[in-house]
Amino acid sequence: MERLIKRLFLFISLFLLLLTTLLVSIFYLINSPKYYRISNKFTSIIMGHSHPECALNDSLIYGFKNYAESGEAYIYTYFKLKKILGANPQVKNIFIEFTNNQIDVEMNKWVYDDKFISEKFSKYYPIIPIETSFVFLNKNPASTINSVITGSVEHMKFLTKYENSKHVKWGGFIPPSMSKVDSIIKTLPISSIKEQGISEINILYLKKIIQLCKKNNKNIYLIRSPLHKKYFDLINEKQFQHTLKKNFSSIPFLDFSSVPFKNEEFLDLEHLNSYGAKKFSIFFKTFINNGGLVNNHPQNIIDSLSVIPQINE
Amino acid sequence: MLFNSYQYLFFLPIVFSLYWLLRNTLKGQNILLLLSSVFFYGLWDWRFLFLLAFSIILNFVTAIRIYNNRNHAKLLLVISVIINCTFLGIFKYYNFFIESLSSALLITNSSIQFNTLNIILPVGISFYTFHGLSYIIDIYYDRIKPTYNFVNYSLFVSFFPLLVAGPIERATHLLPQLEKERKFNYQQIVDGLKQILWGFVKKIVIADTCASWANQIFSYNGEQNGSTLIIGAILFTFQIYGDFSGYSDIALGSARLFGIELLKNFNYPYFSRSIAEFWRRWHISLSSWFKDYLYIPLGGSKKGLNRTVINVFIIFVVSGLWHGANWTFILWGFLNALFIMPSILVKSNRSNLEIIAKDKIFPSFKEGLLVLFTFSQVVLLWIIFRSDNISMAYNAIREIFSPSIFSHPHIFPKTPFLLIVIFLLIEWLGRNSDYAIKNILQKKSVTIRWTFYYILLLFVISYSGKDNVFIYFQF
């Protein structure tokens, strides 16, 4: 019995040592700035979830990089942004998607639910501080441990892949080409009741993002991507406007939600498809070229551009 | 509680520690194992415990009555078998038979309708029912004396490593072990740990990896070409082997930690040179159960060739039906009987009793061809097993035997096939042992051996997280 206990103890200890060494190596190697450096031509970035991921084609806007990723809560956006700014001092303008569903209490699931931890924490844990990781471990230990393991495998694959100037694949424009709007509209409920809670953690990390940008003397803009007029989450519009005024009144808010798009330019009620994204990207570029970012009333420029036919055709 | 869960990783060491702390009291050890088994099973659904308890009490009492009352032994046996099979039949087959009967009556334009029941299939019912049946039949045939120790008998039926998905144990094999002292044996425990590790490799690395691709291919069955379906079939072939034999390895390994040896359930079936040999190596505990308790009582091969053929078909069809309430399982069983028939007719079904290329490195060319031929037959039959219905099975096989088998596959995942090759190499090297890694690198230093185990562990950890249920839980 003694022999077994000794052997087992030694076996497990050595294995844990091996695992720890592996994890620490991955942590150290993956944090190298060379994996986050982008070309100096990129001076503006957009971050957020699937709305900007589908809406802005960065290849059509010079100097613009899309880092948005579907299912991303602000906690991940914050740590991503910290890393990107650390490696890319040339970045001056940061656009952060801020839309109706991001204040919703449902967003808490995007932080601590199994599916999201498995997908996001596994990818970003090397850039998340230990104390924050312990919060994840506390809230959802099984998924957190699992995601560290599966994430480590992916990071190892990335580190060992032979490729000149490797760069982490963090989000980016994904253009869906279909449209399901007509069929969705047919099956919409007559009325929908939404829970009125606010996601404190999401708001907290949006505030941290803003503080980070200010600390680094970056221009930060909140942006709401185009939405279909029948988008059901607009039901919390009053709460959304209240949250915006209460917490982010000093930050320019670029509201593109009412820019007119046809049904066939939407994937669904909250995402543009590739046709809509092309049109919106040109619209956005025109907005910037018309001094939208430096104007004290950018919404006026958005509204005025919205009625110009050649931009909307 | 699944074997491949964090709960089991905590459960097993705790039970193991308490078990060997009680090493001076056999009664204490058995009670601990029984309570652990009740806890293990109750985590699935505590309501199932009542059915399990009923099965245990019924067979325990019946066995004693049969032994003490020889005049009515046969009657008691028949009643007990009927009750056991009725419960199994209701929970597992009622809806299937009702729906089949309704479909048949529909063809005759009958207006009679039957209602199906909203029944949950109790986990492991096929396995523990067969435990109980084998016990009372063995008592009837005087192969074993009944135990008057209710704890020991309950443990025999409900021992947690084998309760949910086998192996199907025999009272003659397991009960004596439960009734005598188990000594702490370092080598046996290390052996058990190694077998558990190998079981996890089979389940998590091989089976779950193959499953994700096989499921993808078969979910678009009607739209896949022949070459893609063959790839899906091969992946499923290794999925089901990795899944089931992996579970068995974890079960056998876990039992070894308590000084208990369970029946071997798999013996490298994919290295078989014939279908007959395959069935001597696949799910051994089930096929030997059917042989001993159905085939031989029906006369086996002792009543002429015609009767032998009928008995073989009966065994395989019943075996197919045991796997599930679907015509695909019955067809699968029937076709297995058909494929095995030539060897029975020429009386070569008892050849190839030893493992292929025993004490050699490579098989002969002829043996290699036979293995490939047998493997292809098995793969084809697994397509039927895997399909949701006969129509899906027919469409898949028709597509495979069409010119589309020569077209480019829609999906060809390299990773699972690479894993399969490595896995088969390890199985080949270890084919003379109970489980593949038992004696691998035994002559090498501790450093090399532990490095090998660490590599396996890292593979298990890196491939974990998919959380696929064991296939045989549904049986």
Side-chain angles (χ1 to χ4, degrees):
Chain A
M1 178 81 101
E2 233 181 76
R3 187 184 169 201
L4 179 73
I5 294 170
K6 278 184 189 163
R7 284 291 198 132
L8 267 178
F9 181 76
L10 186 60
F11 185 86
I12 293 169
S13 306
L14 280 173
F15 184 69
L16 287 174
L17 185 64
L18 173 68
L19 261 185
T20 310
T21 309
L22 210 60
L23 285 174
V24 167
S25 307
I26 288 169
F27 185 86
Y28 176 72
L29 290 168
I30 207 93
N31 271 292
S32 170
K34 65 181 178 184
Y35 297 128
Y36 309 95
R37 213 163 280 133
I38 51 178
S39 164
N40 283 335
K41 73 174 185 179
F42 293 113
T43 56
S44 300
I45 59 175
I46 182 157
M47 303 182 86
H49 56 14
S50 55
H51 292 194
E53 183 190 56
C54 294
L56 273 160
N57 184 345
D58 45 359
S59 67
L60 296 178
I61 313 168
Y62 182 80
F64 205 89
K65 186 125 177 85
N66 190 336
Y67 273 109
E69 194 173 71
S70 69
E72 183 172 291
Y74 285 137
I75 188 170
Y76 297 110
T77 310
Y78 171 70
F79 291 113
K80 267 169 73 169
L81 180 64
K82 217 174 172 186
K83 205 73 201 164
I84 292 164
L85 292 182
N88 300 284
Q90 81 280 6
V91 170
K92 286 277 175 283
N93 302 312
I94 291 122
F95 297 87
I96 303 289
E97 178 76 18
F98 182 56
T99 191
N100 300 66
N101 65 4
Q102 280 167 307
I103 65 165
D104 201 272
V105 72
E106 279 288 297
M107 292 305 280
N108 291 349
K109 289 185 186 168
W110 286 31
V111 182
Y112 298 123
D113 251 30
D114 292 344
K115 180 186 152 199
F116 291 93
I117 287 186
S118 153
E119 214 178 277
K120 301 295 178 199
F121 191 79
S122 62
K123 198 168 172 179
Y124 298 117
Y125 81 81
I127 62 165
I128 294 175
I130 295 285
E131 55 271 17
T132 312
S133 299
F134 274 124
V135 173
F136 278 95
L137 192 64
N138 205 24
K139 292 270 187 188
N140 194 337
S143 286
T144 305
I145 293 170
N146 236 352
S147 67
V148 167
I149 292 163
T150 52
S152 301
V153 174
E154 293 307 314
H155 295 309
M156 282 284 294
K157 282 183 192 170
F158 171 79
L159 288 167
T160 52
K161 196 166 62 173
Y162 178 73
E163 204 181 280
N164 284 335
S165 54
K166 271 189 296 208
H167 188 271
V168 289
K169 299 234 179 331
W170 278 359
F173 173 61
I174 292 180
S177 55
M178 57 172 139
S179 175
K180 302 186 280 189
V181 170
D182 292 331
S183 56
I184 291 170
I185 287 173
K186 279 186 196 147
T187 54
L188 266 182
I190 294 166
S191 64
S192 58
I193 299 160
K194 269 194 89 60
E195 202 179 327
Q196 292 301 303
I198 297 269
S199 172
E200 298 294 346
I201 188 166
N202 225 27
I203 300 299
L204 169 70
Y205 273 92
L206 181 56
K207 286 180 184 172
K208 280 180 180 258
I209 289 168
I210 291 165
Q211 276 166 14
L212 175 69
C213 293
K214 284 183 175 170
K215 187 176 157 193
N216 286 279
N217 294 317
K218 307 295 178 190
N219 302 319
I220 171 132
Y221 305 90
L222 295 180
I223 175 172
R224 183 158 63 166
S225 297
L227 299 168
H228 196 281
K229 53 182 180 282
K230 286 203 184 291
Y231 177 48
F232 37 79
D233 267 354
L234 284 171
I235 200 160
N236 75 344
E237 182 65 13
K238 272 191 189 149
Q239 198 175 36
F240 175 77
Q241 292 294 342
H242 173 75
T243 308
L244 179 67
K245 276 197 181 78
K246 182 181 166 195
N247 297 290
F248 311 113
S249 55
S250 62
I251 310 298
F253 177 57
L254 312 176
D255 190 357
F256 297 96
S257 61
S258 302
V259 174
F261 286 88
K262 298 174 194 157
N263 282 358
E264 50 269 27
E265 288 165 337
F266 279 101
L267 163 67
D268 53 29
L269 302 183
E270 55 188 312
H271 302 96
L272 292 174
N273 60 19
S274 53
Y275 308 108
K278 184 179 175 184
K279 192 164 129 181
F280 179 57
S281 303
I282 296 168
F283 184 98
F284 189 76
K285 191 164 76 170
T286 310
F287 164 77
I288 293 173
N289 291 344
N290 277 269
L293 297 183
V294 296
N295 195 295
N296 286 334
H297 303 285
Q299 200 59 43
N300 292 344
I301 300 184
I302 293 171
D303 294 340
S304 64
L305 287 175
S306 297
V307 298
I308 298 174
Q310 62 265 30
I311 289 172
N312 295 314
E313 292 303 320
Chain B
M1 191 193 307
L2 290 172
F3 278 170
N4 55 328
S5 66
Y6 291 114
Q7 293 157 308
Y8 192 69
L9 284 180
F10 285 105
F11 171 82
L12 189 62
I14 291 170
V15 177
F16 173 80
S17 306
L18 291 171
Y19 180 84
W20 289 111
L21 280 172
L22 293 168
R23 61 185 174 278
N24 295 323
T25 154
L26 174 64
K27 192 175 173 184
Q29 285 185 321
N30 285 351
I31 290 173
L32 171 71
L33 285 181
L34 179 61
L35 290 174
S36 306
S37 304
V38 168
F39 175 75
F40 181 89
Y41 192 67
L43 277 183
W44 286 97
D45 193 321
W46 60 268
R47 296 170 297 176
F48 295 161
L49 285 169
F50 293 105
L51 191 64
L52 175 62
F54 173 79
S55 174
I56 288 171
I57 294 166
L58 169 74
N59 296 318
F60 178 75
V61 169
T62 307
I64 292 170
R65 287 274 165 95
I66 286 174
Y67 185 76
N68 291 324
N69 194 348
R70 281 288 148 187
N71 294 333
H72 297 106
K74 193 165 188 176
L75 178 66
L76 287 167
L77 174 70
V78 167
I79 291 171
S80 180
V81 167
I82 289 172
I83 295 174
N84 275 290
C85 292
T86 302
F87 271 96
L88 183 60
I90 288 172
F91 280 100
K92 202 165 168 180
Y93 302 107
Y94 178 83
N95 287 340
F96 167 67
F97 281 123
I98 290 300
E99 283 161 8
S100 301
L101 185 61
S102 301
S103 303
L105 289 173
L106 211 63
I107 296 168
T108 60
N109 291 323
S110 168
S111 60
I112 302 172
Q113 282 188 343
F114 299 96
N115 293 324
T116 54
L117 300 175
N118 196 14
I119 304 173
I120 310 168
L121 179 63
V123 171
I125 188 170
S126 302
F127 293 93
Y128 67 70
T129 302
F130 273 39
H131 281 148
L133 284 173
S134 78
Y135 178 64
I136 54 171
I137 295 172
D138 281 347
I139 299 290
Y140 176 78
Y141 283 111
D142 252 339
R143 291 178 194 141
I144 188 173
K145 286 189 171 52
T147 179
Y148 290 85
N149 188 318
F150 184 70
V151 168
N152 289 356
Y153 176 74
S154 304
L155 184 55
F156 157 68
V157 176
S158 64
F159 186 35
F160 72 84
L162 50 80
L163 175 57
V164 174
I168 301 170
E169 266 291 343
R170 306 295 185 88
T172 46
H173 183 254
L174 182 53
L175 258 180
Q177 293 187 70
L178 298 178
E179 287 172 340
K180 74 169 197 260
E181 190 193 349
R182 275 96 58 186
K183 284 197 163 52
F184 184 91
N185 183 324
Y186 171 81
Q187 209 42 62
Q188 188 181 29
I189 288 167
V190 167
D191 213 19
L193 290 170
K194 277 161 52 179
Q195 193 164 13
I196 291 172
L197 172 61
W198 187 237
F200 278 120
V201 169
K202 281 173 160 180
K203 164 60 181 162
I204 292 171
V205 180
I206 303 300
D208 289 352
T209 306
C210 290
S212 58
W213 290 102
N215 290 342
Q216 200 180 328
I217 290 170
F218 283 102
S219 65
Y220 295 104
N221 188 22
E223 297 156 26
Q224 306 286 19
N225 59 18
S227 53
T228 312
L229 286 168
I230 272 287
I231 287 169
I234 293 172
L235 290 171
F236 179 72
T237 300
F238 285 96
Q239 176 195 343
I240 195 166
Y241 176 56
D243 194 279
F244 196 17
S245 70
Y247 183 95
S248 292
D249 277 330
I250 298 169
L252 265 67
S254 299
R256 254 189 201 130
L257 298 184
F258 304 107
I260 295 168
E261 296 288 335
L262 298 180
L263 289 171
K264 192 171 175 179
N265 218 8
F266 290 87
N267 193 13
Y268 309 96
Y270 290 159
F271 296 148
S272 300
R273 288 150 286 191
S274 64
I275 287 287
E277 187 185 358
F278 174 80
W279 280 104
R280 286 199 300 276
R281 296 177 179 279
W282 178 274
H283 203 178
I284 300 167
S285 64
L286 179 73
S287 41
S288 63
W289 196 99
F290 277 123
K291 186 192 85 181
D292 292 343
Y293 299 108
L294 193 56
Y295 182 69
I296 289 173
L298 285 174
S301 55
K302 305 269 189 253
K303 293 192 174 178
L305 188 61
N306 291 344
R307 191 54 196 264
T308 304
V309 168
I310 293 168
N311 289 343
V312 166
F313 273 101
I314 291 172
I315 292 302
F316 275 100
V317 167
V318 170
S319 174
L321 190 60
W322 177 91
H323 282 82
N326 196 321
W327 286 105
T328 50
F329 296 118
I330 294 171
L331 178 64
W332 172 77
F334 179 84
L335 288 174
N336 267 289
L338 203 63
F339 282 24
I340 207 175
M341 208 44 66
S343 59
I344 288 175
L345 294 174
V346 302
K347 295 191 174 51
S348 65
N349 54 307
R350 297 299 297 168
S351 58
N352 300 325
L353 291 177
E354 279 194 343
I355 189 74
I356 186 172
K358 189 172 167 65
D359 302 327
K360 288 189 227 168
I361 299 173
F362 297 111
S364 65
F365 181 70
K366 182 185 169 191
E367 282 180 324
L369 281 179
L370 287 172
V371 166
L372 278 172
F373 180 62
T374 307
F375 184 75
S376 347
Q377 291 176 291
V378 167
V379 169
L380 202 66
L381 292 171
W382 281 137
I383 294 171
I384 300 166
F385 188 95
R386 172 65 177 73
S387 301
D388 294 332
N389 50 59
I390 301 280
S391 165
M392 184 176 158
Y394 170 75
N395 289 334
I397 291 173
R398 189 190 57 188
E399 198 59 42
I400 284 170
F401 285 100
S402 72
S404 73
I405 198 171
F406 300 110
S407 49
H408 203 268
H410 300 143
I411 299 170
F412 185 71
K414 294 191 183 72
T415 305
F417 280 101
L418 182 60
L419 290 172
I420 287 168
V421 166
I422 298 170
F423 169 68
L424 282 175
L425 182 63
I426 297 175
E427 288 258 295
W428 177 259
L429 291 171
R431 69 193 184 282
N432 294 303
S433 312
D434 286 344
Y435 56 95
I437 65 167
K438 180 174 177 140
N439 294 317
I440 274 185
L441 304 173
Q442 274 308 108
K443 292 180 183 156
K444 302 290 179 192
S445 65
V446 158
T447 311
I448 293 176
R449 285 204 315 274
W450 282 25
T451 305
F452 177 65
Y453 302 143
Y454 284 151
I455 291 170
L456 292 180
L457 258 176
L458 282 172
F459 264 92
V460 168
I461 290 170
S462 63
Y463 278 87
S464 64
K466 291 188 184 70
D467 216 13
N468 285 323
V469 179
F470 289 92
I471 294 176
Y472 267 69
F473 279 6
Q474 64 190 300
F475 307 141

